[in-house]
């Protein structure tokens, strides 16, 4: 019987096991040992390199080429292999763990070939020793020969493709990304139909830049894949949009986009759209004047720019998608929410090429991993649900629908001409994104040319600490159970007696927590829905907050100590509502609400009787954060009627003219109890003396202190003041090792890898 012609070993023998490389099977004696494909691959790599220490980076890049998974995936595969091979972590006779490095396969390995004997089954194979003699024929239980005991045994490790550990890309990204980008963009013009090479790189942000809020969408690629737009805060500046060309090593800010989020780009790449101040806005890609397109009637939940200069967008209201001209106008409904089928909202639109239709997310509950992905043609009255379980859909011209679920990207073939899904989605980027956010967003973007950019989950960490700050700016940190209070907090609110703090916690879910200053403990108050922006009632018995537990984002309140049910405070509205303040007797409540034509308006709600709200202030401008004076005679609020935010005061009743009290910009207003109004001007805490009786008298603003504390979003103040006005409860940013210089991962020509994955199935 002749030795097979191929020089590559087809069978690897170790202990009582036989690893059939061609058939991808593992045998113990005559019995087949079942392994999943990825676990088999893990074993094969270890066995082929037996005796060598394989770094975790090398293993992960070899087992998951052109993909990024967590280290836990490798650890799980190793654990499964140990169980399969009959060893424990303490008895490492096959796989040795090298602490902080990787793994090594310890057992002697013998290489051989198989020659099929007719049936084609593994039991009909003859196994050849390199010398040419038959080691096994139809009797698979062959003892492995040690290379030391048999000089004829040779090991033939498979030649692995060159693999560069990801950390080298991380350190070399700034120097090499421009070359990768130019090679990818311009080289593709001259190679005809030859598949472009998939290349990985990372954009490392400057040390003083941090990506935008975790709930928002911080990044988007231009359609041609040459530019990245991202939202970030630089040092003490307000967050804004930045442009990073992939063939450049530096970013440039888009001046005028302060407090912007959810960026998106026009199909021709000439305009950048974004959301700010309750409205859709746009700015030329090269910079210039910001133009307001339309108020949205709610916080933005995705926008897409069509080829005929129309913008499709969704909001957090209990409504479907809207469409509006990119040149401005009144939004018109595009989709209809099927409430009778359990739908509550439509969001995250993706327009298909040639206006063949729109993909979007249908929310049915708080869990967007269980949401539906739907399709609707323009002009149709109803939509079709394509998938159950996923969010944030994006379409590639390769004919694939990519979406997010539980921190992974999945893909499935999709033809817009036949809008139906005929196969199961396949994971294409496993476990690398942060868990799905409470609004259904995901931190990835794909250009129409097939470039992928995403922010890995381990870098999505922001932190702050509650601190007391006196009028001279000296800070002291609060503690929880004797330890530093570090978390992702916002909008702290002191109870009227100064003993408790209601604070918004921004984790995977937004909820309200109650912190006891005396006991140094924190207790969760809310559980259902996305809950934010707490506010105490004047008697301290209840907390008001914004919640999405029903359709839209409306205001609720509940007792702090559990004596009574949670209730809706304000009438339901499709426009997002924001808490303001109570009069001291608790009989009137001021709040703001978004209206499509007039942005945020101020409403006054009597708490006696029918609770029917009345308009307190409605203009074409944005009015926010109403604060009633302690004597109930005046209201301080923030408005952008001058072109930027300023603080104003006007009577609660009557028609007297308003007065501006801030000098050069102001927001986050709080009315103190002892004749002062406080507000923030960038990083400065400002105080204005004010007397309301017998007439309104306002003094000159003066700066108390200046330092970097977390700023509010414009919807509410991100600090509070003690009743005596001597201390401020603020949020100090806390630097975490993973939050500085967070890279954005870029995969050029990622669509080529996507196509290869489906061709290999």
């Amino acid at each position: 019987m002749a030795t097979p012609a191929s020089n590559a070993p087809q069978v690897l023998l170790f202990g009582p096991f036989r690893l059939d490389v061609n058939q991808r099977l593992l045998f113990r004696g005559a019995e087949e040992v079942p392994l999943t494909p990825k676990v088999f691959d893990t074993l094969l790599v270890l066995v082929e390199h037996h005796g060598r220490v394989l770094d975790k980076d090398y293993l992960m890049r070899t087992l998951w080429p052109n993909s990024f998974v967590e280290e836990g995936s490798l650890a799980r595969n190793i654990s499964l292999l140990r169980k399969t091979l009959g060893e424990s972590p303490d008895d490492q006779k096959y796989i040795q763990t090298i602490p902080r490095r990787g793994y090594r396969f310890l057992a002697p390995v013998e290489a051989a070939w198989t020659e099929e004997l007719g049936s084609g089954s593994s039991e009909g194979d003859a196994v050849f020793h390199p010398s040419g003699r038959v080691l096994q024929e139809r009797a698979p239980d062959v003892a492995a020969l040690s290379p030391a005991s048999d000089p004829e045994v040779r090991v033939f490790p498979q030649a692995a493709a060159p693999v560069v550990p990801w950390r080298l890309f991380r350190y070399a990204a700034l120097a090499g990304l421009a070359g990768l980008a130019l090679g990818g963009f311009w080289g593709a013009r001259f190679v005809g139909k030859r598949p472009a090479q998939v290349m990985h790189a990372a954009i490392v942000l400057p040390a003083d830049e941090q990506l935008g809020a975790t709930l928002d969408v911080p990044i988007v690629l231009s359609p041609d894949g040459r530019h990245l737009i991202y939202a970030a805060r630089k040092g003490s500046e307000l967050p804004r949009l930045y442009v990073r060309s992939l063939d450049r090593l530096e970013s440039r800010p888009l001046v005028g986009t302060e407090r912007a989020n959810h960026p998106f780009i026009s199909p021709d790449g000439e305009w950048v759209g974004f959301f700010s101040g309750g409205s859709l806005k746009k700015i030329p890609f090269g910079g210039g004047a910001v133009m307001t397109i339309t108020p949205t009637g709610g916080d933005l939940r995705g926008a897409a720019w069509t080829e005929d200069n129309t913008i499709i967008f969704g909001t957090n209201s209990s409504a479907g998608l809207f469409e509006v001209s990119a040149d401005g106008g009144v939004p018109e409904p595009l989709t209809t929410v099927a409430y009778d089928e359990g739908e509550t909202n439509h969001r995250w639109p993706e327009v298909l090429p040639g206006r063949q239709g729109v993909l979007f997310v249908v929310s049915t509950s708080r869990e967007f991993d269980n949401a539906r992905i739907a399709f609707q043609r323009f002009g149709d009255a109803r939509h079709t649900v394509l998938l159950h379980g996923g969010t944030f859909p994006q379409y590639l011209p390769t004919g694939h629908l990519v979406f997010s679920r539980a921190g992974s990207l999945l893909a499935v073939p999709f033809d817009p001409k036949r809008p139906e899904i005929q196969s199961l989605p396949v994971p294409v980027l496993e476990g690398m994104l942060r868990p799905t956010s409470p609004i259904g967003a995901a931190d990835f973007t794909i250009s129409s040319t097939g470039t992928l950019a995403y922010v890995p989950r381990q870098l999505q960490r922001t932190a702050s600490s509650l601190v007391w700050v006196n009028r001279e700016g000296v800070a002291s940190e609060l503690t929880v159970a004797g330890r530093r209070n570090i978390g992702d907090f916002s909008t702290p609110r002191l109870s009227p007696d100064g003993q408790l703090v209601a604070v918004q916690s921004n984790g995977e879910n937004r909820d309200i927590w109650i912190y006891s200053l005396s006991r140094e403990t924190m207790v969760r108050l809310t559980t259902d829905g996305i809950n934010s922006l707490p506010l105490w009632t004047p008697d301290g018995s209840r907390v008001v907050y914004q919640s999405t537990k029903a359709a839209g984002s409306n205001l609720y309140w509940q007792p702090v100590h559990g004596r009574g049910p949670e209730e809706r405070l304000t009438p339901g509205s499709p426009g997002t509502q924001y808490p303001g303040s109570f009069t001291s007797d608790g009989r009137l409540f001021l709040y703001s609400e978004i209206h499509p034509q007039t942005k945020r308006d101020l409403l006054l709600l009597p708490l006696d009787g029918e609770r029917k709200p009345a308009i307190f202030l409605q203009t074409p401008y944005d009015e926010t954060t109403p604060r009633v004076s302690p004597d109930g005679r005046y209201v301080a609020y923030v408005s952008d009627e001058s072109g930027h935010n300023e603080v104003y005061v006007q009577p609660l009743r009557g028609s007297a003219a308003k007065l501006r009290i801030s000098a050069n910009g102001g927001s986050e207003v709080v009315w103190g109890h002892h004749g002062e109004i406080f507000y923030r001007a960038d990083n400065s805490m400002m105080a204005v003396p004010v007397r309301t009786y017998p007439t309104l008298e306002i003094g000159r603003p003066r700066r108390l202190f200046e330092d970097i504390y977390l700023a509010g979003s414009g919807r509410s103040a991100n600090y509070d003041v003690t009743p005596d006005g001597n201390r401020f409860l603020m949020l100090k940013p806390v630097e975490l090792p993973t939050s500085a210089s967070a890279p954005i991962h870029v995969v050029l020509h990622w669509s080529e890898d996507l196509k290869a994955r489906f061709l290999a199935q």
Side-chain angles (χ1 to χ4, degrees):
M1 192 172 295
T3 301
S6 172
N7 288 325
Q10 297 170 300
V11 174
L12 298 171
L13 309 170
F14 59 93
F17 295 97
R18 175 164 59 94
L19 194 64
D20 191 321
V21 178
N22 280 0
Q23 299 191 61
R24 294 179 58 80
L25 296 173
L26 177 68
F27 294 89
R28 180 197 293 267
E31 181 183 356
E32 179 181 337
V33 181
L35 293 176
T36 64
K38 196 60 68 177
V39 174
F40 181 93
D41 291 341
T42 305
L43 176 60
L44 181 60
V45 173
L46 290 169
V47 171
E48 288 177 333
H49 297 81
H50 72 98
R52 292 173 53 193
V53 177
L54 300 183
D55 289 341
K56 293 178 182 179
D57 279 344
Y58 174 87
L59 285 168
M60 295 180 70
R61 293 292 300 159
T62 302
L63 295 170
W64 290 278
N66 304 323
S67 300
F68 300 99
V69 297
E70 291 186 307
E71 193 173 291
S73 299
L74 176 62
R76 286 191 294 271
N77 285 1
I78 296 294
S79 177
L80 288 171
L81 277 178
R82 285 202 166 108
K83 292 180 181 179
T84 299
L85 300 178
E87 72 171 23
S88 67
D90 297 327
D91 179 25
Q92 299 179 1
K93 59 184 177 182
Y94 291 109
I95 303 173
Q96 179 188 19
T97 299
I98 309 300
R100 296 182 296 278
R101 285 193 60 189
Y103 302 93
R104 174 166 53 196
F105 196 82
L106 294 175
V109 176
E110 184 176 45
W113 296 268
T114 62
E115 179 173 314
E116 292 186 359
L117 300 180
S119 68
S121 69
S122 59
E123 294 182 359
D125 290 346
V127 180
F128 291 88
H129 189 277
S131 65
R133 68 180 186 270
V134 178
L135 295 179
Q136 171 205 327
E137 185 168 354
R138 301 182 184 273
D141 192 8
V142 178
L145 301 177
S146 168
S149 63
D150 190 334
E152 294 183 318
V153 174
R154 294 180 290 133
V155 177
F156 298 85
Q158 178 177 329
V163 177
V164 180
W166 176 248
R167 61 173 176 267
L168 295 184
F169 282 106
R170 185 163 59 234
Y171 297 141
L174 285 176
L177 183 59
L180 288 177
L182 288 174
F185 294 133
W186 303 113
R189 295 190 174 191
F190 304 103
V191 296
K193 295 184 178 180
R194 191 178 76 182
Q197 182 181 359
V198 178
M199 293 180 285
H200 301 260
I203 294 177
V204 180
L205 301 185
D208 60 346
E209 281 187 15
Q210 185 172 359
L211 285 176
T214 57
L215 286 182
D216 297 327
V217 179
I219 60 174
V220 66
L221 281 166
S222 60
D224 61 8
R226 298 180 61 185
H227 308 283
L228 182 78
I229 312 294
Y230 62 91
R233 179 191 297 274
K234 185 178 181 66
S236 62
E237 299 176 357
L238 293 173
R240 65 178 67 183
L241 299 182
Y242 290 83
V243 178
R244 177 67 172 267
S245 297
L246 299 192
D247 58 353
R248 295 289 185 269
L249 300 180
E250 67 285 333
S251 303
R252 61 177 174 86
L254 284 174
V255 179
T257 62
E258 289 75 15
R259 300 187 189 277
N261 55 40
H262 297 288
F264 58 102
I265 303 180
S266 62
D268 59 8
E270 296 295 323
W271 292 89
V272 177
F274 60 94
F275 178 73
S276 181
S279 294
L280 273 180
K281 300 181 180 182
K282 67 178 183 179
I283 186 173
F285 176 83
V290 172
M291 300 174 59
T292 297
I293 299 171
T294 185
T296 60
D299 288 342
L300 193 69
R301 296 295 181 258
W305 204 312
T306 71
E307 296 166 0
D308 64 351
N309 205 36
T310 299
I311 294 176
I312 312 298
F313 67 92
T315 69
N316 62 344
S317 64
S318 55
L321 301 179
F322 294 88
E323 59 180 341
V324 65
S325 169
D327 295 325
V330 178
E332 298 290 340
L334 177 65
T335 66
T336 302
V337 177
Y339 300 106
D340 56 341
E341 298 177 13
E343 299 181 3
T344 59
N345 170 267
H346 294 169
R347 58 183 64 190
W348 308 122
E350 167 83 343
V351 176
L352 298 171
R355 284 184 61 92
Q356 297 179 83
V358 59
L359 298 166
F360 57 93
V361 172
V362 175
S363 61
T364 58
S365 69
R366 183 183 185 182
E367 302 295 332
F368 278 90
D369 286 332
N370 298 323
R372 306 165 186 170
I373 294 178
F375 169 85
Q376 182 170 318
R377 296 196 186 279
F378 290 99
D380 288 355
R382 292 187 59 82
H383 55 274
T384 301
V385 174
L386 301 175
L387 290 166
H388 291 265
T391 185
F392 213 69
Q394 296 197 28
Y395 175 77
L396 269 69
T398 55
H400 296 94
L401 166 60
V402 180
F403 63 96
S404 173
R405 181 195 296 162
S408 296
L409 288 189
L410 294 89
V412 66
F414 176 70
D415 182 358
K417 296 179 181 178
R418 300 178 59 190
E420 56 187 24
I421 301 299
Q422 298 182 334
S423 60
L424 292 175
V426 174
V428 291
L429 191 71
E430 297 185 71
M432 285 306 295
L433 304 178
R434 64 183 166 94
T436 304
S437 78
I439 65 174
D443 296 332
F444 78 96
T445 173
I446 309 173
S447 72
S448 58
T449 57
T451 292
L452 166 72
Y454 69 94
V455 183
R457 67 185 303 171
Q458 63 266 30
L459 299 170
Q460 284 296 316
R461 298 182 65 197
T462 58
S464 57
S465 178
L466 284 165
V467 296
W468 287 117
V469 185
N470 65 19
R471 294 176 73 97
E472 289 72 42
V474 178
S476 58
E477 192 172 75
L478 279 71
T479 58
V480 177
R483 299 182 179 181
R484 295 182 68 194
N485 72 93
I486 296 178
D488 190 358
F489 302 124
S490 58
T491 57
R493 293 290 178 268
L494 283 163
S495 61
D497 62 5
Q499 297 301 306
L500 302 175
V501 178
V503 65
Q504 172 183 324
S505 178
N506 307 307
E508 295 181 12
N509 301 312
R510 279 183 179 174
D511 274 308
I512 308 301
W513 290 67
I514 304 299
Y515 172 68
S516 170
L517 292 169
S518 60
R519 296 192 300 273
E520 295 187 352
T521 58
M522 293 192 77
V523 178
R524 184 195 298 267
L525 179 68
T526 61
T527 56
D528 185 30
I530 303 172
N531 306 291
S532 53
L533 307 178
L535 172 71
W536 293 90
T537 55
D539 62 3
S541 65
R542 300 182 184 219
V543 169
V544 178
Y545 49 90
Q546 181 193 86
S547 180
T548 64
K549 56 178 48 63
S553 292
N554 297 154
L555 300 182
Y556 290 74
W557 61 354
Q558 68 168 291
V560 174
H561 302 293
R563 293 190 295 269
E566 175 189 49
E567 297 177 344
R568 185 192 291 270
L569 173 61
T570 52
S573 169
T576 303
Q577 299 172 343
Y578 306 91
S581 63
F582 292 89
T583 54
S584 59
D585 58 10
R587 301 180 63 183
L588 294 175
F589 174 60
L590 264 172
Y591 66 100
S592 58
E593 180 175 301
I594 294 180
H595 288 270
Q597 285 75 39
T598 56
K599 302 185 179 180
R600 290 187 178 97
D601 300 325
L602 303 185
L603 287 81
L604 188 61
L605 179 74
L607 298 181
D608 298 328
E610 299 180 6
R611 292 190 189 173
K612 185 177 180 180
I615 297 293
F616 173 73
L617 186 61
Q618 186 175 59
T619 73
Y621 309 107
D622 225 11
E623 290 90 22
T624 63
T625 58
R627 297 289 186 264
V628 182
S629 62
D631 62 4
R633 292 166 55 88
Y634 291 89
V635 176
Y637 62 93
V638 176
S639 173
D640 65 354
E641 66 174 81
S642 68
H644 51 275
N645 286 336
E646 299 284 0
V647 180
Y648 298 83
V649 172
Q650 73 177 54
L652 179 63
R653 302 184 186 279
S655 57
K658 64 180 180 294
L659 295 176
R660 193 175 105 179
I661 68 170
S662 56
N664 294 295
S667 61
E668 301 184 66
V669 59
V670 173
W671 202 311
H673 290 266
H674 293 278
E676 283 182 301
I677 291 177
F678 303 97
Y679 68 90
R680 296 182 70 181
D682 293 332
N683 291 315
S684 296
M685 180 63 70
M686 308 295 293
V688 180
V690 59
R691 187 170 67 181
T692 61
Y693 187 83
T695 59
L696 180 66
E697 296 182 15
I698 296 174
R700 296 173 63 89
R702 67 187 183 94
R703 179 181 290 106
L704 297 181
F705 58 85
E706 183 175 7
D707 205 341
I708 298 176
Y709 296 99
L710 293 186
S713 62
R715 300 169 297 180
S716 186
N718 215 15
Y719 70 97
D720 207 354
V721 186
T722 55
D724 60 10
N726 289 329
R727 290 195 301 173
F728 300 83
L729 185 61
M730 307 191 76
L731 290 163
K732 186 72 174 177
V734 176
E735 292 188 6
L736 297 178
T738 55
S739 64
S741 301
I744 301 169
H745 291 191
V746 178
V747 188
L748 299 172
H749 310 302
W750 178 74
S751 58
E752 296 296 333
D753 178 64
L754 182 66
K755 289 188 293 184
R757 287 172 182 266
F758 282 89
L759 288 174
Q761 289 186 337

